[in-house]
């Protein structure tokens, strides 16, 4: 149980275009979803935290108008990279937490999406 | 969240036990110790977590020092598929379940 999927697994786009990445919790309802970015040979960097039905909380230095997050349901969150540029090329990873009753589980991660902006 | 310190890399032979250390001297009483691992080009995978007592699951064991200022992840019999970056993370109760990621330990398994 506790499987998180991401789509697409990789995407190549032209500079200036927008790209949408989907994150789904397949077998549980995710109260909170997280979006991370990871550059080569570096650790994960938290971009934003989102709770279903409310606005995402962005980390310092992350532009909310550039990285649009929508968490419309308990099983789906989307990250849209608007007007992408080569410096946005990175590995984007989502995660989700599961709550059962009053107990909240650990984070379960998606397989990641490799974005390359030409 | 308190900070953790891990060695940058470790090597081990296949089918031998591996002990991955983590120091967290500023841990607070309510911080949980979480371990994740990340295989190349994949999302992180939960390994184990604990608070005070040692923990075992099908993947690994977690040994927590009595003063909780350090912990050790134990892989009982490493395989080539265990080659990954292992992250030791502290998560507090009031952290909105965020995980603050350090650099981790790159585990190299030699056949």
């Amino acid at each position: 149980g506790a499987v998180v999927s991401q789509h697409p697994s990789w995407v190549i786009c032209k500079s200036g275009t927008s790209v949408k990445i989907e994150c789904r919790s397949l077998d549980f309802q995710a109260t909170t979803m997280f979006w991370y970015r990871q550059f080569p040979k570096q650790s994960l960097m938290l971009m934003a935290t989102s709770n279903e039905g409310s606005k995402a909380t962005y980390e310092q230095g992350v532009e909310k108008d550039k990285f649009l997050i929508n968490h419309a349901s308990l099983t789906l969150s989307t990250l849209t990279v608007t007007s992408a540029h080569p410096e946005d090329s990175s590995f984007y990873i989502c995660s989700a937490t599961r709550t059962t009753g009053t107990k909240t589980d650990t984070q379960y991660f998606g397989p990641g999406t490799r974005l390359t902006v030409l | 969240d308190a900070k953790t310190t891990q060695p940058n890399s470790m090597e081990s032979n296949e089918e031998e036990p591996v002990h991955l250390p983590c120091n967290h001297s500023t841990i607070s009483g309510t911080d949980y110790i979480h371990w994740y691992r990340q295989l190349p080009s994949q999302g992180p995978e939960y390994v184990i977590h604990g608070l005070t007592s040692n923990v075992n699951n099908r993947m690994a064991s977690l040994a927590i020092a009595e003063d909780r200022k350090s912990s050790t992840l134990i892989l009982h019999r490493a395989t080539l598929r265990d080659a990954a970056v292992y992250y030791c993370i502290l998560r507090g109760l009031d952290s909105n379940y965020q995980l603050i990621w350090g650099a981790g330990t790159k585990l190299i398994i030699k056949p």
Side-chain angles (χ1 to χ4, degrees):
Chain A
V3 178
V4 176
S5 71
Q6 279 185 244
H7 177 80
S9 54
W10 59 270
V11 57
I12 301 172
C13 69
K14 291 183 179 179
S15 187
T17 60
S18 295
V19 174
K20 180 186 283 188
I21 302 169
E22 290 187 351
C23 175
R24 293 182 186 272
S25 55
L26 297 184
D27 51 0
F28 67 100
Q29 292 188 325
T31 49
T32 304
M33 286 185 167
F34 302 86
W35 286 96
Y36 295 84
R37 181 166 52 179
Q38 186 176 32
F39 293 107
K41 297 192 186 302
Q42 294 187 24
S43 188
L44 279 74
M45 282 176 24
L46 180 65
M47 299 176 68
T49 303
S50 76
N51 293 295
E52 182 263 341
S54 60
K55 288 184 179 180
T57 302
Y58 289 81
E59 294 301 299
Q60 195 171 8
V62 178
E63 300 173 59
K64 60 181 68 176
D65 293 332
K66 180 168 184 62
F67 299 99
L68 302 178
I69 292 172
N70 185 283
H71 193 162
S73 77
L74 284 172
T75 60
L76 173 64
S77 177
T78 61
L79 168 69
T80 301
V81 183
T82 62
S83 186
H85 291 285
E87 57 265 30
D88 297 322
S89 299
S90 188
F91 192 48
Y92 291 87
I93 308 169
C94 74
S95 71
T97 56
R98 173 179 62 180
T99 299
T100 306
T102 58
K103 185 179 176 184
T104 295
D105 217 337
T106 187
Q107 286 188 30
Y108 297 94
F109 286 81
T113 296
R114 175 79 57 194
L115 170 64
T116 301
V117 184
L118 302 177
Chain B
D1 294 289
K3 196 173 177 180
T4 62
T5 304
Q6 298 176 254
N8 289 333
S9 66
M10 289 183 65
E11 285 189 4
S12 181
N13 294 318
E14 194 177 10
E15 299 188 6
E16 289 186 358
V18 179
H19 291 235
L20 296 166
C22 180
N23 286 319
H24 28 79
S25 57
T26 58
I27 190 171
S28 75
T30 54
D31 283 340
Y32 281 81
I33 303 161
H34 286 246
W35 283 82
Y36 284 79
R37 71 180 186 182
Q38 186 177 25
L39 278 66
S41 298
Q42 294 188 30
E45 175 186 27
Y46 166 78
V47 177
I48 201 166
H49 78 282
L51 183 62
T52 56
S53 304
N54 294 344
V55 184
N56 299 298
N57 66 21
R58 63 175 179 81
M59 287 182 70
S61 296
L62 176 60
I64 302 173
E66 200 169 326
D67 63 4
R68 299 209 330 124
K69 293 186 177 184
S70 66
S71 61
T72 303
L73 179 71
I74 303 166
L75 306 179
H76 295 287
R77 192 166 163 270
T79 70
L80 294 177
R81 288 181 296 181
D82 292 320
V85 178
Y86 286 78
Y87 295 95
C88 168
I89 301 165
L90 301 184
R91 181 175 73 74
L93 290 179
D94 59 350
S95 63
N96 194 26
Y97 308 108
Q98 289 181 3
L99 299 175
I100 308 300
W101 298 76
T105 296
K106 183 176 182 179
L107 177 62
I108 299 165
I109 304 296
K110 296 180 289 185

